[in-house]
Amino acid sequence: MLYDLAIAGGGPAGAAAAVYAARKRLKTALITPEWGGQSIVSAEIYNWIGTPAISGTELAENLKRHVEAQKGDTLDIRFPATAVGLASMPDASLCITLSDGESISAKRLLVVTGSSRRKLEIPGAAQYDQKGLTYCASCDGPLFADKDVAVVGGGNAAFETALQLLAYCKSVTLMNRTDTFRADEITVEAARAHPKFKMIGNAELLAVEGTQFVTGLKYRDTHTQAEATLPVEGIFVEIGHIPNTAWLGGLAALDKTGQIVVDPRTQRSNDARIWAAGDCTDGLYRQNNIAVGDAIKALEDIYLSLRRL
């Protein structure tokens, strides 16, 4: 079967595009390994428009429910499945290889695959991965109840992780390589106000220490050059993400960080058959609401391009 459109990704952007595509009666395949994207790890999301506060899990369930309500003759949901390869076909269609070994063909492709968590690369980080060092507070946070833990990072994800952990950890120390933060001021202040929270800025991380499990995080103050070890039993890493674009096979142009270069007016890539939205693109801002808007923008342009065939 040749689809009009394949959508790779099931976060807010992918869900929005799938709903719009179904309503426009485009024969569409939505490919996703999970629902909700990166938001699923957030204990509370305060900037999802129309909802004062919602958990990542609840948001993911709402997205899934909305998309599944559109399922039918025009919308095919491939779940759980991941797009792992892409090739151009002689008839100018695109062939998307899936993680389950199957493949699908489509006239157009919308890439909303987001990004993956960047790993901490210091001595001991790999050794103690899942032995006290983790990249998912929602998954592993409750295991550290009544323990001293550290959060590495300075963006919204780091502060949101800290806020989640403060509900049950003995103490939470956020460590950042500078003394400034990329997180929203309201989120920073919410963490600062908690009596069990503290921050260490200008911290160059040197090593994860431990025996069988994590016992501490060694660091250097970049101003004084003094070294110290923060005694903790858990380390939660939130230091950014890597775009999930390696599977595109060179068909869409990427920037030096691996993000898909798109026209901000239409979200189209340099390949006239491929559009992209969200964290996998070179867009300036990273927010759920922006990703949704960009995906809908892309979908409108995709629809027009198909009607011109």
Side-chain angles (χ1 to χ4, degrees):
M1 176 186 296
L2 177 62
Y3 290 94
D4 291 322
L5 171 65
I7 301 171
V19 169
Y20 268 67
R23 291 176 61 84
K24 289 180 179 295
R25 308 299 292 173
L26 297 180
K27 185 62 178 176
T28 302
L30 174 67
I31 306 158
T32 183
E34 63 180 3
W35 297 95
Q38 296 174 27
S39 296
I40 198 168
V41 305
S42 297
E44 292 290 335
I45 299 168
Y46 298 102
N47 58 357
W48 183 246
I49 299 303
T51 307
I54 188 171
S55 71
T57 302
E58 186 180 0
L59 175 59
E61 184 58 35
N62 287 350
L63 295 173
K64 177 184 178 183
R65 187 182 304 115
H66 198 171
V67 173
E68 288 185 337
Q70 312 298 317
K71 186 177 179 180
D73 293 340
T74 60
L75 179 60
D76 182 13
I77 302 173
R78 300 295 184 98
F79 168 80
T82 303
V84 297
L86 181 66
S88 181
M89 304 304 289
D91 63 356
S93 68
L94 295 162
C95 180
I96 301 101
T97 303
L98 308 184
S99 53
D100 58 11
E102 294 188 17
S103 62
I104 62 173
S105 296
K107 300 174 186 176
R108 300 288 186 265
L109 171 65
L110 174 60
V111 183
V112 282
T113 45
S115 55
S116 301
R117 295 176 182 275
R118 190 177 298 279
K119 296 287 187 177
L120 184 63
E121 296 182 356
I122 58 174
Q127 179 182 353
Y128 291 104
D129 196 336
Q130 301 308 310
K131 295 180 180 178
L133 185 147
T134 178
Y135 295 84
C136 182
S138 293
C139 308
D140 303 322
L143 300 174
F144 296 86
D146 301 318
K147 298 182 185 298
D148 296 309
V149 303
V151 176
V152 178
N156 278 325
F159 277 90
E160 288 171 0
T161 289
L163 287 168
Q164 178 179 342
L165 295 171
L166 285 165
Y168 38 76
C169 290
K170 182 179 179 181
S171 72
V172 178
T173 302
L174 186 140
M175 305 190 73
N176 190 41
R177 59 187 176 181
T178 69
D179 58 4
T180 59
F181 306 100
R182 301 182 308 279
D184 297 331
E185 184 177 345
I186 189 172
T187 306
V188 174
E189 290 307 313
R192 285 183 187 271
H194 201 288
K196 297 191 295 182
F197 177 80
K198 58 183 177 180
M199 295 187 292
I200 299 177
N202 302 309
E204 178 188 357
L205 303 185
L206 300 177
V208 176
E209 298 181 342
T211 51
Q212 184 177 359
F213 297 98
V214 167
T215 60
L217 185 56
K218 186 177 181 180
Y219 66 97
R220 177 188 294 119
D221 186 310
T222 58
H223 283 179
T224 67
Q225 301 305 309
E227 295 184 4
T229 296
L230 176 71
V232 291
E233 295 182 68
I235 300 171
F236 294 81
V237 182
E238 292 287 357
I239 55 174
H241 300 82
I242 300 172
N244 296 323
T245 57
W247 61 279
L248 293 174
L251 291 184
L254 308 179
D255 66 12
K256 63 182 180 180
T257 66
Q259 297 172 326
I260 303 169
V261 178
V262 297
D263 178 347
R265 295 180 66 250
T266 62
Q267 301 300 124
R268 189 184 298 206
S269 75
N270 66 309
D271 188 305
R273 302 165 295 178
I274 302 173
W275 285 253
D279 289 4
C280 63
T281 76
D282 64 343
L284 183 57
Y285 301 107
R286 301 281 182 265
Q287 293 287 334
N288 279 337
N289 294 300
I290 294 172
V292 166
D294 284 349
I296 293 171
K297 184 199 308 180
L299 197 284
E300 295 287 358
D301 200 56
I302 289 167
Y303 178 79
L304 290 178
S305 77
L306 288 168
R307 289 297 170 259
R308 296 188 191 108
L309 293 178

